[in-house]
Amino acid sequence: MADSVILYDHPLSPYGQKVKIALLEKGVSFEAPLPDAIGSGTTGGRFAEVSPRGEVPAFLDGDTSVFDSTVILEYIEDRWPTPALLPDAPAERARVRMLEDAMDTHFEAITWGLSEIVNFRRASGVLAERMLARGGEQIAGWYRWLDAQLEGRDWFNGGAFGWGDLCVAPFVNGAVGFGHAPDPASVLGRWHARVNERDSVAQCARAAAAVGFDSDAVSLDAVREAMEQGLFKREYRDHRLEWMIKTGGIDIVQDGLARHNIRFVEPFPV
Ligand SMILES: N[C@@H](CCC(=O)N[C@@H](CS)C(=O)NCC(=O)O)C(=O)O
C-alpha cells in the first residue's frame, strides 16, 4: 500500500475545501493535484477511476479510493479520529450532518447558478436580472435559516469549531464572491468573521481567490470560449438542475443541451 494521500481537487470547489479543511485540522499531509481535463466531461486515467462522476474532490489513501466530499469526510474521520471533527452526541452528529446536506445541495445550487449567469453568461437582459435577484433572495432566506441554526452557539458544531463549520464556511465564502455577504452584525455574520480567522479555512479561501474567475491566473474569456465550443461542459446535476428550472432558466437548460455544453452523470465505467 502506497503511503501518500492524494486529493484530486480544484481550489474553487467548496466540496474540495470541506475535505482540505478536515485534513488540515487533523494534520494529515496530502497532495492536491488538479485532474487533467476537469470540466470537459471527458476525464480519464486514474482520476476517472477514483471519481466515476468526473467530479472533485476524489480521494486516494494508498489502495483506498473514495469519491464524494461527504463520504470522504466520513472516511477521514474514521481513519484519523483525532482531533474529532464530529460532535459526540448522536443528536448533535445528526444536526451537523443535516447542515452539511443542506449546504451541499440547496445552498450550493444557488451560487453555482449565479456563476452560470455572471461568469458563463447563460442569460442576459431582463432574464439575467430576474435570476440574479431571485438567487439573492434565496441566499438571504438560507442566511436566515443558518442564523437560526446557530441558536446561541459560537460554532455550528457546538462549543468548538468542527464538522458543522467546515461544511458551511466554503459555501458562504462562495456567496460572498457574488456580493452576498451575511450582515456583519448578525449572529451568522459574526460567525463568518470568526471562522475565516481559522488557519485551515483561510488557507482554502486564499487558494480559491488565487484561481478565481476574476484572478490573473484564469482567463474567463478562454473558459467561456471553450464552453461555447462544447469543449468545457458544465455539470447540471441534481439540485443545480432544480435551481435552473425553479429560477426561470428552463430555456438555458434546453439551449445548453442543444449546444452540447452541459452534461449529466453517465453510468459509471466498468
Ligand atoms: N456531491 C459531490 C459534488 C462534487 C462536485 O459537484 N464537484 C464539482 C466541482 S464544485 C465538479 O467536480 N464538477 C466537475 C464538472 O463540472 O465536470 C461532492 O460532495 O463531492
Side-chain angles (χ1 to χ4, degrees):
M1 173 163 144
D3 52 8
S4 61
V5 168
I6 295 174
L7 177 72
Y8 291 105
D9 180 42
H10 189 294
L12 281 182
S13 170
Y15 304 101
Q17 291 178 39
K18 285 165 60 185
V19 174
K20 284 183 291 187
I21 295 169
L23 292 169
L24 291 166
E25 291 288 336
K26 287 174 184 282
V28 178
S29 56
F30 60 95
E31 291 167 45
L34 185 69
D36 287 343
I38 184 75
S40 67
T42 55
T43 52
R46 188 74 182 110
F47 171 65
E49 287 166 15
V50 178
S51 181
R53 295 194 294 228
E55 294 168 353
V56 290
F59 191 70
L60 264 177
D61 174 24
D63 295 332
T64 303
S65 66
V66 190
F67 65 87
D68 193 278
S69 62
T70 302
V71 186
I72 298 170
L73 278 186
E74 297 278 355
Y75 175 82
I76 290 171
E77 189 79 346
D78 291 344
R79 167 83 163 84
W80 296 279
T82 313
L85 290 171
L86 275 171
D88 286 338
E92 286 295 281
R93 294 160 86 89
R95 183 180 62 75
V96 300
R97 284 173 166 135
M98 288 187 284
L99 262 173
E100 177 181 13
D101 189 64
M103 298 310 287
D104 280 3
T105 57
H106 311 300
F107 193 96
E108 192 268 354
I110 308 169
T111 48
W112 168 85
L114 295 182
S115 181
E116 287 298 282
I117 309 297
V118 173
N119 294 321
F120 293 99
R121 299 189 187 155
R122 296 277 189 179
S124 57
V126 174
L127 178 62
E129 276 170 33
R130 213 166 42 220
M131 292 180 79
L132 293 176
R134 185 74 195 106
E137 287 159 18
Q138 292 161 349
I139 289 174
W142 282 105
Y143 281 173
R144 285 191 291 278
W145 182 79
L146 285 169
D147 208 86
Q149 300 306 304
L150 279 166
E151 273 182 12
R153 301 178 181 94
D154 279 347
W155 300 100
F156 281 106
N157 215 50
F161 174 92
W163 194 291
D165 304 284
L166 69 84
C167 288
V168 177
F171 297 96
V172 173
N173 283 345
V176 172
F178 289 101
H180 297 292
D183 173 358
S186 66
V187 176
L188 180 66
R190 292 199 298 275
W191 165 86
H192 184 240
R194 204 159 43 244
V195 81
N196 276 295
E197 283 165 10
R198 191 110 189 151
D199 194 47
S200 57
V201 177
Q203 270 192 51
C204 291
R206 277 197 303 273
V211 299
F213 288 124
D214 50 1
S215 70
D216 294 340
V218 173
S219 158
L220 188 49
D221 286 341
V223 179
R224 254 192 238 119
E225 179 55 30
M227 196 192 79
E228 290 301 328
Q229 293 175 18
L231 300 172
F232 184 76
K233 298 180 199 296
R234 304 278 294 155
E235 191 187 12
Y236 274 45
R237 61 166 172 74
D238 308 329
H239 298 81
R240 293 175 173 183
L241 184 59
E242 176 191 312
W243 184 87
M244 266 297 165
I245 292 171
K246 77 180 177 193
T247 311
I250 197 159
D251 291 345
I252 295 176
V253 179
Q254 281 177 336
D255 184 57
L257 284 172
R259 295 197 293 140
H260 304 289
N261 60 23
I262 72 178
R263 76 174 182 98
F264 299 116
V265 171
E266 300 298 336
F268 290 0
V270 188

